Amino acid sequence: MSRTVTKQRKMITTAAAWTIGLIIFFPIYWTILTSFKTEAQAINDPPLFFAFDWTLENYALVQERSDYMKFLWNSVIIAGGSTILGILVAIPAAWSMAFVPSKRTKDVLLWMLSTKMLPAVGVLYPISLIFVQFDLLDTRGGLVVVLMLINLPIIVWMLYTYFKEIPGEILEAARMDGATLKEEILYVLTPMAIPGIASTILLNFILAWNEAFWTLNLTAANAAPLTAFIASYSSPEGLFFAKLSAASTMAITPILILGWFSQKQLVRGLTFGAVK
């Protein structure tokens, strides 16, 4: 029996959702707004919301000072490469945990998730030594592998959850029809879990795109992504808020556009299997 939702409750819920959404979006809005101000207007007290001279000077200066397209291309390769590699590793791992369960499956999943609780700085020194030993410092390939390993626990956990919602009888029927393990994963399991896989890809891409700690510590110039591009506007002389805001806006714009156009797929994937 469905619960009746009163008009008053619906209005309160809608107002609360809009309030929370605006609070979350405000920092992004303020960053974009500040990017069109002069440095003096950016630190004005009280803050200027609309009554200021709009200018594109900050974007022009950022373009002159930095090779934005190089940083953007590095971000695309690093985030995209780590996501693709992570999915290729995670799908077989999640399949084995979901459909070939053992007494240790839950323990392994919890152990994998526990690695995300370790402070990144705790393993910075050994990873840096490995990078030096194999000449991987300031290389996109090295960052692809590191970011893949960092986000792999989340990818496996999400895919495992989605795969568990798929009836095992379907896979058994495919085996009875003579499907090999490869065909079972490629032609039966993967198409049925496309919403979940798509949301996992999107989430992992966003996490890799926004990763700052490893990109700042393992790159210098050649493989530096947009996170390093933003950090370059923090100088010993102080923060130049207008230019920093322009650089931040240029860095987050691609991922905002991606998120906007893929929000339906992301929501569909994150709720995959929630309703039966």
Side-chain angles (χ1 to χ4, degrees):
M1 181 176 180
S2 61
R3 184 192 304 174
T4 303
V5 180
T6 63
K7 184 177 181 180
Q8 182 181 8
R9 182 174 180 178
K10 186 175 181 180
M11 291 176 62
I12 293 173
T13 304
T14 302
W18 272 100
T19 301
I20 295 173
L22 290 173
I23 291 174
I24 295 174
F25 180 73
F26 181 78
I28 299 175
Y29 162 77
W30 190 251
T31 299
I32 297 174
L33 197 66
T34 305
S35 68
F36 293 102
K37 300 177 182 178
T38 63
E39 291 295 345
Q41 293 169 340
I43 59 175
N44 190 78
D45 189 19
L48 299 175
F49 283 87
F50 295 105
F52 62 87
D53 298 326
W54 294 67
T55 178
L56 294 174
E57 179 184 2
N58 297 313
Y59 289 94
L61 290 174
V62 167
Q63 288 279 22
E64 291 176 4
R65 173 177 168 178
S66 306
D67 187 357
Y68 171 75
M69 293 306 298
K70 176 183 177 181
F71 290 101
L72 175 64
W73 183 238
N74 285 340
S75 285
V76 171
I77 292 177
I78 293 169
S82 66
T83 299
I84 294 172
L85 186 59
I87 288 294
L88 293 176
V89 174
I91 286 180
W95 172 88
S96 64
M97 292 181 183
F99 300 107
V100 192
S102 69
K103 296 180 179 179
R104 297 292 183 181
T105 297
K106 295 293 184 182
D107 296 332
V108 172
L109 286 170
L110 288 174
W111 171 77
M112 292 180 64
L113 192 61
S114 69
T115 61
K116 293 294 294 181
M117 305 175 188
L118 176 69
V121 69
V123 292
L124 175 60
Y125 185 64
I127 289 181
S128 297
L129 289 179
I130 293 174
F131 267 55
V132 171
Q133 180 69 28
F134 292 96
D135 196 25
L136 293 174
L137 280 175
D138 201 21
T139 63
R140 292 181 292 204
L143 277 177
V144 165
V145 174
V146 167
L147 295 189
M148 182 274 289
L149 294 174
I150 290 172
N151 294 323
L152 189 60
I154 295 178
I155 303 176
V156 173
W157 257 91
M158 291 183 67
L159 291 180
Y160 169 79
T161 303
Y162 298 137
F163 289 171
K164 287 293 287 184
E165 299 296 333
I166 297 175
E169 292 79 5
I170 296 178
L171 299 182
E172 291 178 4
R175 293 168 194 163
M176 293 180 64
D177 289 338
T180 63
L181 178 60
K182 178 182 177 181
E183 292 171 342
E184 178 184 331
I185 294 177
L186 288 180
Y187 303 117
V188 182
L189 179 68
T190 302
M192 295 184 65
I194 281 179
I197 294 174
S199 65
T200 303
I201 289 174
L202 289 171
L203 182 60
N204 184 74
F205 187 86
I206 292 171
L207 290 174
W209 185 280
N210 293 332
E211 176 60 43
F213 179 82
W214 293 107
T215 55
L216 291 176
N217 283 283
L218 298 178
T219 62
N222 295 328
L226 286 171
T227 47
F229 169 71
I230 298 174
S232 66
Y233 286 86
S234 174
S235 64
E237 292 80 13
L239 292 174
F240 296 94
F241 288 102
K243 298 178 182 63
L244 180 61
S245 296
S248 300
T249 300
M250 294 171 68
I252 66 176
T253 295
I255 207 69
L256 285 177
I257 295 173
L258 175 65
W260 177 265
F261 284 105
S262 60
Q263 56 183 319
K264 289 184 178 180
Q265 289 79 5
L266 184 59
V267 172
R268 182 187 176 197
L270 292 176
T271 57
F272 178 68
V275 180
K276 295 185 178 181

Short mmCIF file of all heavy atoms in Angstrom, two decimals, residues 57-118:
data_model
loop_
_atom_site.label_atom_id
_atom_site.label_comp_id
_atom_site.label_asym_id
_atom_site.label_seq_id
_atom_site.Cartn_x
_atom_site.Cartn_y
_atom_site.Cartn_z
N GLU A 57 39.69 39.87 -18.29
CA GLU A 57 41.14 40.03 -18.21
C GLU A 57 41.82 38.85 -17.53
O GLU A 57 42.90 38.42 -17.95
CB GLU A 57 41.47 41.32 -17.44
CG GLU A 57 42.96 41.58 -17.28
CD GLU A 57 43.24 42.81 -16.43
OE1 GLU A 57 42.28 43.43 -15.95
OE2 GLU A 57 44.42 43.14 -16.26
N ASN A 58 41.19 38.29 -16.49
CA ASN A 58 41.80 37.18 -15.76
C ASN A 58 41.97 35.96 -16.66
O ASN A 58 43.00 35.27 -16.61
CB ASN A 58 40.94 36.81 -14.55
CG ASN A 58 40.86 37.94 -13.54
OD1 ASN A 58 41.86 38.54 -13.18
ND2 ASN A 58 39.65 38.25 -13.10
N TYR A 59 40.99 35.70 -17.50
CA TYR A 59 41.08 34.54 -18.40
C TYR A 59 42.18 34.76 -19.43
O TYR A 59 42.91 33.82 -19.78
CB TYR A 59 39.73 34.32 -19.09
CG TYR A 59 38.66 33.79 -18.16
CD1 TYR A 59 37.78 34.66 -17.52
CD2 TYR A 59 38.55 32.43 -17.90
CE1 TYR A 59 36.80 34.18 -16.66
CE2 TYR A 59 37.58 31.93 -17.05
CZ TYR A 59 36.70 32.82 -16.43
OH TYR A 59 35.74 32.34 -15.57
N ALA A 60 42.31 35.99 -19.90
CA ALA A 60 43.37 36.29 -20.87
C ALA A 60 44.75 36.12 -20.24
O ALA A 60 45.66 35.56 -20.86
CB ALA A 60 43.19 37.72 -21.40
N LEU A 61 44.90 36.59 -19.00
CA LEU A 61 46.18 36.46 -18.31
C LEU A 61 46.53 35.01 -18.02
O LEU A 61 47.69 34.60 -18.13
CB LEU A 61 46.14 37.27 -17.01
CG LEU A 61 46.12 38.80 -17.17
CD1 LEU A 61 45.92 39.48 -15.82
CD2 LEU A 61 47.41 39.29 -17.83
N VAL A 62 45.51 34.24 -17.65
CA VAL A 62 45.74 32.82 -17.38
C VAL A 62 46.19 32.11 -18.65
O VAL A 62 47.11 31.27 -18.64
CB VAL A 62 44.46 32.18 -16.80
CG1 VAL A 62 44.58 30.65 -16.81
CG2 VAL A 62 44.21 32.67 -15.39
N GLN A 63 45.56 32.44 -19.77
CA GLN A 63 45.93 31.83 -21.04
C GLN A 63 47.35 32.21 -21.45
O GLN A 63 48.10 31.40 -22.00
CB GLN A 63 44.94 32.26 -22.14
CG GLN A 63 43.58 31.61 -22.02
CD GLN A 63 43.55 30.20 -22.59
OE1 GLN A 63 44.58 29.55 -22.71
NE2 GLN A 63 42.37 29.73 -22.92
N GLU A 64 47.74 33.47 -21.19
CA GLU A 64 49.08 33.93 -21.54
C GLU A 64 50.14 33.26 -20.67
O GLU A 64 51.22 32.92 -21.14
CB GLU A 64 49.17 35.45 -21.37
CG GLU A 64 48.35 36.23 -22.39
CD GLU A 64 48.40 37.72 -22.13
OE1 GLU A 64 49.14 38.13 -21.20
OE2 GLU A 64 47.71 38.48 -22.83
N ARG A 65 49.80 33.07 -19.40
CA ARG A 65 50.79 32.55 -18.45
C ARG A 65 50.95 31.03 -18.56
O ARG A 65 52.04 30.51 -18.38
CB ARG A 65 50.38 32.92 -17.03
CG ARG A 65 51.22 32.29 -15.94
CD ARG A 65 50.81 32.76 -14.57
NE ARG A 65 51.44 31.96 -13.53
CZ ARG A 65 51.29 32.18 -12.23
NH1 ARG A 65 50.55 33.19 -11.82
NH2 ARG A 65 51.87 31.40 -11.34
N SER A 66 49.87 30.32 -18.85
CA SER A 66 49.90 28.85 -18.81
C SER A 66 49.35 28.26 -20.11
O SER A 66 48.50 28.86 -20.76
CB SER A 66 49.08 28.33 -17.63
OG SER A 66 49.50 28.92 -16.41
N ASP A 67 49.86 27.06 -20.42
CA ASP A 67 49.37 26.33 -21.58
C ASP A 67 48.18 25.48 -21.12
O ASP A 67 48.32 24.30 -20.78
CB ASP A 67 50.48 25.45 -22.15
CG ASP A 67 50.07 24.79 -23.46
OD1 ASP A 67 48.91 24.95 -23.88
OD2 ASP A 67 50.93 24.10 -24.05
N TYR A 68 47.00 26.08 -21.12
CA TYR A 68 45.81 25.41 -20.59
C TYR A 68 45.52 24.10 -21.31
O TYR A 68 45.17 23.10 -20.67
CB TYR A 68 44.61 26.36 -20.69
CG TYR A 68 43.28 25.71 -20.37
CD1 TYR A 68 42.92 25.42 -19.06
CD2 TYR A 68 42.39 25.37 -21.40
CE1 TYR A 68 41.71 24.81 -18.78
CE2 TYR A 68 41.19 24.76 -21.12
CZ TYR A 68 40.83 24.49 -19.80
OH TYR A 68 39.64 23.88 -19.53
N MET A 69 45.64 24.08 -22.61
CA MET A 69 45.29 22.89 -23.38
C MET A 69 46.20 21.71 -23.02
O MET A 69 45.76 20.56 -23.04
CB MET A 69 45.37 23.18 -24.88
CG MET A 69 44.32 24.17 -25.37
SD MET A 69 42.63 23.67 -24.92
CE MET A 69 42.50 22.12 -25.78
N LYS A 70 47.46 22.00 -22.70
CA LYS A 70 48.36 20.92 -22.30
C LYS A 70 47.90 20.30 -20.99
O LYS A 70 47.84 19.07 -20.85
CB LYS A 70 49.78 21.47 -22.15
CG LYS A 70 50.78 20.44 -21.64
CD LYS A 70 52.16 21.05 -21.43
CE LYS A 70 53.12 20.02 -20.85
NZ LYS A 70 54.47 20.61 -20.62
N PHE A 71 47.55 21.14 -20.00
CA PHE A 71 47.05 20.63 -18.73
C PHE A 71 45.73 19.87 -18.93
O PHE A 71 45.51 18.82 -18.30
CB PHE A 71 46.83 21.78 -17.74
CG PHE A 71 48.10 22.42 -17.25
CD1 PHE A 71 48.55 23.62 -17.78
CD2 PHE A 71 48.85 21.82 -16.26
CE1 PHE A 71 49.71 24.21 -17.33
CE2 PHE A 71 50.02 22.39 -15.79
CZ PHE A 71 50.45 23.59 -16.33
N LEU A 72 44.86 20.40 -19.77
CA LEU A 72 43.58 19.76 -20.04
C LEU A 72 43.78 18.38 -20.67
O LEU A 72 43.14 17.40 -20.26
CB LEU A 72 42.74 20.64 -20.96
CG LEU A 72 41.40 20.05 -21.43
CD1 LEU A 72 40.46 19.83 -20.25
CD2 LEU A 72 40.74 20.98 -22.46
N TRP A 73 44.65 18.30 -21.64
CA TRP A 73 44.91 17.03 -22.31
C TRP A 73 45.50 16.00 -21.34
O TRP A 73 45.14 14.82 -21.38
CB TRP A 73 45.85 17.25 -23.48
CG TRP A 73 46.15 16.04 -24.31
CD1 TRP A 73 47.36 15.48 -24.57
CD2 TRP A 73 45.19 15.22 -25.00
NE1 TRP A 73 47.25 14.38 -25.37
CE2 TRP A 73 45.93 14.19 -25.65
CE3 TRP A 73 43.80 15.24 -25.13
CZ2 TRP A 73 45.31 13.20 -26.41
CZ3 TRP A 73 43.19 14.25 -25.88
CH2 TRP A 73 43.93 13.25 -26.51
N ASN A 74 46.40 16.46 -20.46
CA ASN A 74 46.96 15.57 -19.44
C ASN A 74 45.86 15.04 -18.52
O ASN A 74 45.84 13.85 -18.17
CB ASN A 74 48.02 16.30 -18.61
CG ASN A 74 49.32 16.48 -19.36
OD1 ASN A 74 49.60 15.78 -20.33
ND2 ASN A 74 50.14 17.42 -18.92
N SER A 75 44.93 15.91 -18.13
CA SER A 75 43.83 15.48 -17.26
C SER A 75 42.95 14.45 -17.96
O SER A 75 42.53 13.46 -17.34
CB SER A 75 42.98 16.69 -16.85
OG SER A 75 43.63 17.46 -15.87
N VAL A 76 42.66 14.68 -19.22
CA VAL A 76 41.82 13.74 -19.97
C VAL A 76 42.49 12.38 -20.07
O VAL A 76 41.86 11.33 -19.85
CB VAL A 76 41.52 14.30 -21.38
CG1 VAL A 76 40.83 13.24 -22.25
CG2 VAL A 76 40.65 15.54 -21.29
N ILE A 77 43.78 12.36 -20.39
CA ILE A 77 44.50 11.10 -20.54
C ILE A 77 44.60 10.37 -19.21
O ILE A 77 44.36 9.16 -19.11
CB ILE A 77 45.90 11.34 -21.13
CG1 ILE A 77 45.79 11.81 -22.58
CG2 ILE A 77 46.75 10.07 -21.05
CD1 ILE A 77 47.12 12.14 -23.22
N ILE A 78 44.97 11.10 -18.15
CA ILE A 78 45.16 10.47 -16.84
C ILE A 78 43.84 9.96 -16.27
O ILE A 78 43.74 8.81 -15.82
CB ILE A 78 45.83 11.47 -15.87
CG1 ILE A 78 47.26 11.77 -16.33
CG2 ILE A 78 45.83 10.92 -14.45
CD1 ILE A 78 47.91 12.93 -15.61
N ALA A 79 42.82 10.81 -16.28
CA ALA A 79 41.52 10.40 -15.74
C ALA A 79 40.89 9.30 -16.60
O ALA A 79 40.38 8.30 -16.06
CB ALA A 79 40.59 11.60 -15.65
N GLY A 80 40.92 9.48 -17.92
CA GLY A 80 40.34 8.48 -18.81
C GLY A 80 41.11 7.16 -18.77
O GLY A 80 40.50 6.08 -18.72
N GLY A 81 42.44 7.24 -18.79
CA GLY A 81 43.25 6.02 -18.78
C GLY A 81 43.09 5.22 -17.50
O GLY A 81 42.96 4.00 -17.53
N SER A 82 43.10 5.91 -16.35
CA SER A 82 42.94 5.22 -15.07
C SER A 82 41.55 4.60 -14.95
O SER A 82 41.39 3.52 -14.37
CB SER A 82 43.20 6.18 -13.91
OG SER A 82 42.21 7.20 -13.86
N THR A 83 40.55 5.26 -15.52
CA THR A 83 39.18 4.74 -15.47
C THR A 83 39.04 3.48 -16.31
O THR A 83 38.48 2.47 -15.86
CB THR A 83 38.19 5.80 -15.95
OG1 THR A 83 38.27 6.95 -15.11
CG2 THR A 83 36.76 5.27 -15.94
N ILE A 84 39.55 3.52 -17.54
CA ILE A 84 39.46 2.36 -18.43
C ILE A 84 40.23 1.17 -17.85
O ILE A 84 39.73 0.04 -17.81
CB ILE A 84 39.99 2.71 -19.83
CG1 ILE A 84 39.08 3.76 -20.50
CG2 ILE A 84 40.10 1.46 -20.70
CD1 ILE A 84 39.64 4.30 -21.80
N LEU A 85 41.45 1.44 -17.37
CA LEU A 85 42.25 0.36 -16.79
C LEU A 85 41.58 -0.21 -15.55
O LEU A 85 41.57 -1.43 -15.34
CB LEU A 85 43.65 0.90 -16.45
CG LEU A 85 44.68 -0.11 -15.96
CD1 LEU A 85 44.91 -1.20 -17.01
CD2 LEU A 85 45.99 0.59 -15.63
N GLY A 86 41.01 0.67 -14.72
CA GLY A 86 40.33 0.21 -13.52
C GLY A 86 39.13 -0.66 -13.83
O GLY A 86 38.90 -1.69 -13.16
N ILE A 87 38.35 -0.29 -14.83
CA ILE A 87 37.18 -1.07 -15.22
C ILE A 87 37.60 -2.45 -15.74
O ILE A 87 36.98 -3.48 -15.41
CB ILE A 87 36.36 -0.32 -16.29
CG1 ILE A 87 35.64 0.87 -15.65
CG2 ILE A 87 35.35 -1.25 -16.95
CD1 ILE A 87 34.57 0.49 -14.65
N LEU A 88 38.67 -2.50 -16.54
CA LEU A 88 39.14 -3.77 -17.08
C LEU A 88 39.58 -4.72 -15.98
O LEU A 88 39.40 -5.94 -16.08
CB LEU A 88 40.29 -3.53 -18.06
CG LEU A 88 39.94 -2.81 -19.37
CD1 LEU A 88 41.19 -2.56 -20.20
CD2 LEU A 88 38.92 -3.61 -20.17
N VAL A 89 40.16 -4.18 -14.92
CA VAL A 89 40.59 -5.01 -13.79
C VAL A 89 39.42 -5.35 -12.88
O VAL A 89 39.30 -6.48 -12.38
CB VAL A 89 41.70 -4.28 -12.99
CG1 VAL A 89 42.05 -5.07 -11.72
CG2 VAL A 89 42.94 -4.08 -13.84
N ALA A 90 38.52 -4.39 -12.68
CA ALA A 90 37.46 -4.53 -11.67
C ALA A 90 36.33 -5.45 -12.11
O ALA A 90 35.74 -6.14 -11.27
CB ALA A 90 36.90 -3.16 -11.30
N ILE A 91 36.00 -5.47 -13.39
CA ILE A 91 34.87 -6.31 -13.84
C ILE A 91 35.12 -7.79 -13.55
O ILE A 91 34.26 -8.46 -12.94
CB ILE A 91 34.56 -6.06 -15.33
CG1 ILE A 91 33.88 -4.69 -15.51
CG2 ILE A 91 33.65 -7.16 -15.88
CD1 ILE A 91 33.54 -4.35 -16.94
N PRO A 92 36.26 -8.37 -13.93
CA PRO A 92 36.48 -9.78 -13.58
C PRO A 92 36.55 -10.00 -12.06
O PRO A 92 36.06 -11.03 -11.56
CB PRO A 92 37.84 -10.10 -14.24
CG PRO A 92 37.98 -9.08 -15.32
CD PRO A 92 37.33 -7.85 -14.79
N ALA A 93 37.15 -9.05 -11.33
CA ALA A 93 37.25 -9.19 -9.88
C ALA A 93 35.87 -9.17 -9.23
O ALA A 93 35.55 -10.01 -8.37
CB ALA A 93 38.12 -8.07 -9.30
N ALA A 94 35.04 -8.21 -9.63
CA ALA A 94 33.68 -8.11 -9.07
C ALA A 94 32.84 -9.32 -9.48
O ALA A 94 32.02 -9.80 -8.68
CB ALA A 94 33.03 -6.82 -9.53
N TRP A 95 33.03 -9.81 -10.71
CA TRP A 95 32.29 -11.00 -11.17
C TRP A 95 32.62 -12.20 -10.29
O TRP A 95 31.72 -12.94 -9.86
CB TRP A 95 32.64 -11.30 -12.62
CG TRP A 95 32.07 -12.60 -13.11
CD1 TRP A 95 30.84 -12.79 -13.67
CD2 TRP A 95 32.70 -13.89 -13.07
NE1 TRP A 95 30.66 -14.12 -13.97
CE2 TRP A 95 31.79 -14.83 -13.61
CE3 TRP A 95 33.94 -14.34 -12.60
CZ2 TRP A 95 32.09 -16.17 -13.71
CZ3 TRP A 95 34.24 -15.68 -12.71
CH2 TRP A 95 33.33 -16.58 -13.26
N SER A 96 33.89 -12.41 -10.03
CA SER A 96 34.29 -13.57 -9.23
C SER A 96 33.76 -13.48 -7.81
O SER A 96 33.35 -14.48 -7.21
CB SER A 96 35.82 -13.71 -9.22
OG SER A 96 36.41 -12.59 -8.57
N MET A 97 33.73 -12.28 -7.24
CA MET A 97 33.22 -12.12 -5.88
C MET A 97 31.70 -12.26 -5.81
O MET A 97 31.15 -12.73 -4.82
CB MET A 97 33.62 -10.75 -5.33
CG MET A 97 35.10 -10.60 -5.09
SD MET A 97 35.53 -8.97 -4.41
CE MET A 97 37.31 -9.10 -4.34
N ALA A 98 31.02 -11.84 -6.88
CA ALA A 98 29.56 -11.87 -6.88
C ALA A 98 29.01 -13.25 -7.21
O ALA A 98 27.98 -13.65 -6.64
CB ALA A 98 29.02 -10.84 -7.87
N PHE A 99 29.66 -13.98 -8.11
CA PHE A 99 29.08 -15.24 -8.60
C PHE A 99 29.90 -16.47 -8.26
O PHE A 99 29.47 -17.59 -8.53
CB PHE A 99 28.88 -15.15 -10.11
CG PHE A 99 27.96 -14.04 -10.53
CD1 PHE A 99 28.46 -12.90 -11.14
CD2 PHE A 99 26.60 -14.11 -10.27
CE1 PHE A 99 27.62 -11.87 -11.51
CE2 PHE A 99 25.75 -13.09 -10.63
CZ PHE A 99 26.25 -11.95 -11.25
N VAL A 100 31.09 -16.27 -7.70
CA VAL A 100 31.86 -17.40 -7.18
C VAL A 100 32.21 -17.06 -5.72
O VAL A 100 33.39 -16.88 -5.38
CB VAL A 100 33.14 -17.65 -8.01
CG1 VAL A 100 33.76 -18.99 -7.62
CG2 VAL A 100 32.83 -17.64 -9.50
N PRO A 101 31.20 -16.93 -4.88
CA PRO A 101 31.44 -16.45 -3.51
C PRO A 101 32.19 -17.48 -2.67
O PRO A 101 32.15 -18.68 -2.93
CB PRO A 101 30.02 -16.23 -2.97
CG PRO A 101 29.17 -17.20 -3.75
CD PRO A 101 29.80 -17.26 -5.12
N SER A 102 32.85 -16.97 -1.66
CA SER A 102 33.53 -17.81 -0.68
C SER A 102 33.37 -17.18 0.70
O SER A 102 32.82 -16.08 0.83
CB SER A 102 35.02 -17.94 -1.02
OG SER A 102 35.69 -16.70 -0.82
N LYS A 103 33.82 -17.87 1.70
CA LYS A 103 33.71 -17.36 3.06
C LYS A 103 34.53 -16.09 3.26
O LYS A 103 34.29 -15.31 4.18
CB LYS A 103 34.16 -18.42 4.06
CG LYS A 103 33.27 -19.66 4.06
CD LYS A 103 33.78 -20.68 5.07
CE LYS A 103 32.87 -21.92 5.08
NZ LYS A 103 33.35 -22.94 6.05
N ARG A 104 35.52 -15.89 2.40
CA ARG A 104 36.44 -14.75 2.54
C ARG A 104 36.03 -13.55 1.70
O ARG A 104 36.72 -12.52 1.73
CB ARG A 104 37.85 -15.18 2.14
CG ARG A 104 38.45 -16.27 3.01
CD ARG A 104 38.73 -15.77 4.40
NE ARG A 104 39.38 -16.77 5.24
CZ ARG A 104 39.70 -16.58 6.50
NH1 ARG A 104 39.40 -15.41 7.06
NH2 ARG A 104 40.28 -17.53 7.20
N THR A 105 34.95 -13.64 0.94
CA THR A 105 34.56 -12.55 0.04
C THR A 105 34.33 -11.25 0.80
O THR A 105 34.87 -10.19 0.44
CB THR A 105 33.29 -12.92 -0.75
OG1 THR A 105 33.57 -14.06 -1.57
CG2 THR A 105 32.87 -11.75 -1.64
N LYS A 106 33.53 -11.30 1.86
CA LYS A 106 33.25 -10.10 2.64
C LYS A 106 34.53 -9.53 3.27
O LYS A 106 34.73 -8.31 3.32
CB LYS A 106 32.23 -10.41 3.74
CG LYS A 106 30.85 -10.82 3.22
CD LYS A 106 30.17 -9.65 2.53
CE LYS A 106 28.76 -10.03 2.10
NZ LYS A 106 28.08 -8.93 1.37
N ASP A 107 35.41 -10.42 3.73
CA ASP A 107 36.66 -9.97 4.33
C ASP A 107 37.54 -9.26 3.31
O ASP A 107 38.16 -8.24 3.61
CB ASP A 107 37.43 -11.16 4.94
CG ASP A 107 36.67 -11.81 6.09
OD1 ASP A 107 35.88 -11.09 6.75
OD2 ASP A 107 36.87 -13.01 6.32
N VAL A 108 37.58 -9.83 2.10
CA VAL A 108 38.39 -9.21 1.05
C VAL A 108 37.83 -7.84 0.68
O VAL A 108 38.58 -6.87 0.50
CB VAL A 108 38.43 -10.12 -0.20
CG1 VAL A 108 39.10 -9.40 -1.37
CG2 VAL A 108 39.19 -11.41 0.12
N LEU A 109 36.51 -7.74 0.57
CA LEU A 109 35.88 -6.46 0.24
C LEU A 109 36.15 -5.42 1.32
O LEU A 109 36.46 -4.26 1.02
CB LEU A 109 34.38 -6.65 0.05
CG LEU A 109 33.95 -7.34 -1.25
CD1 LEU A 109 32.47 -7.68 -1.20
CD2 LEU A 109 34.24 -6.45 -2.45
N LEU A 110 36.04 -5.83 2.58
CA LEU A 110 36.31 -4.90 3.68
C LEU A 110 37.78 -4.50 3.70
O LEU A 110 38.11 -3.34 3.99
CB LEU A 110 35.92 -5.54 5.01
CG LEU A 110 34.41 -5.67 5.27
CD1 LEU A 110 34.15 -6.45 6.55
CD2 LEU A 110 33.77 -4.28 5.36
N TRP A 111 38.67 -5.44 3.40
CA TRP A 111 40.10 -5.11 3.36
C TRP A 111 40.38 -4.11 2.25
O TRP A 111 41.14 -3.14 2.43
CB TRP A 111 40.92 -6.38 3.14
CG TRP A 111 42.37 -6.07 2.89
CD1 TRP A 111 43.32 -5.72 3.78
CD2 TRP A 111 43.01 -6.03 1.60
NE1 TRP A 111 44.52 -5.48 3.15
CE2 TRP A 111 44.36 -5.66 1.82
CE3 TRP A 111 42.57 -6.29 0.30
CZ2 TRP A 111 45.27 -5.54 0.78
CZ3 TRP A 111 43.48 -6.17 -0.73
CH2 TRP A 111 44.81 -5.80 -0.50
N MET A 112 39.77 -4.33 1.08
CA MET A 112 39.96 -3.40 -0.03
C MET A 112 39.48 -2.01 0.33
O MET A 112 40.15 -1.01 0.06
CB MET A 112 39.23 -3.90 -1.28
CG MET A 112 39.81 -5.16 -1.88
SD MET A 112 38.89 -5.70 -3.33
CE MET A 112 39.17 -4.34 -4.44
N LEU A 113 38.30 -1.94 0.97
CA LEU A 113 37.76 -0.64 1.36
C LEU A 113 38.61 0.02 2.43
O LEU A 113 38.73 1.25 2.46
CB LEU A 113 36.32 -0.80 1.85
CG LEU A 113 35.51 0.49 2.01
CD1 LEU A 113 35.38 1.21 0.67
CD2 LEU A 113 34.14 0.20 2.59
N SER A 114 39.22 -0.77 3.29
CA SER A 114 40.04 -0.20 4.37
C SER A 114 41.27 0.51 3.83
O SER A 114 41.81 1.42 4.49
CB SER A 114 40.48 -1.31 5.34
OG SER A 114 41.41 -2.19 4.72
N THR A 115 41.72 0.12 2.62
CA THR A 115 42.89 0.80 2.05
C THR A 115 42.58 2.27 1.73
O THR A 115 43.49 3.09 1.65
CB THR A 115 43.35 0.09 0.77
OG1 THR A 115 42.30 0.11 -0.21
CG2 THR A 115 43.72 -1.35 1.07
N LYS A 116 41.28 2.60 1.53
CA LYS A 116 40.90 3.99 1.27
C LYS A 116 40.98 4.83 2.54
O LYS A 116 40.97 6.06 2.48
CB LYS A 116 39.48 4.05 0.71
CG LYS A 116 39.32 3.44 -0.67
CD LYS A 116 40.09 4.22 -1.71
CE LYS A 116 39.54 5.61 -1.90
NZ LYS A 116 40.28 6.39 -2.95
N MET A 117 41.04 4.18 3.71
CA MET A 117 41.11 4.91 4.97
C MET A 117 42.54 5.29 5.34
O MET A 117 42.75 6.07 6.26
CB MET A 117 40.50 4.06 6.10
CG MET A 117 39.08 3.60 5.82
SD MET A 117 38.44 2.48 7.09
CE MET A 117 36.90 1.96 6.33
N LEU A 118 43.50 4.74 4.63
CA LEU A 118 44.90 5.05 4.89
C LEU A 118 45.24 6.43 4.35
O LEU A 118 44.96 6.73 3.19
CB LEU A 118 45.80 4.01 4.23
CG LEU A 118 47.32 4.23 4.33
CD1 LEU A 118 47.77 4.02 5.77
CD2 LEU A 118 48.06 3.28 3.40
#
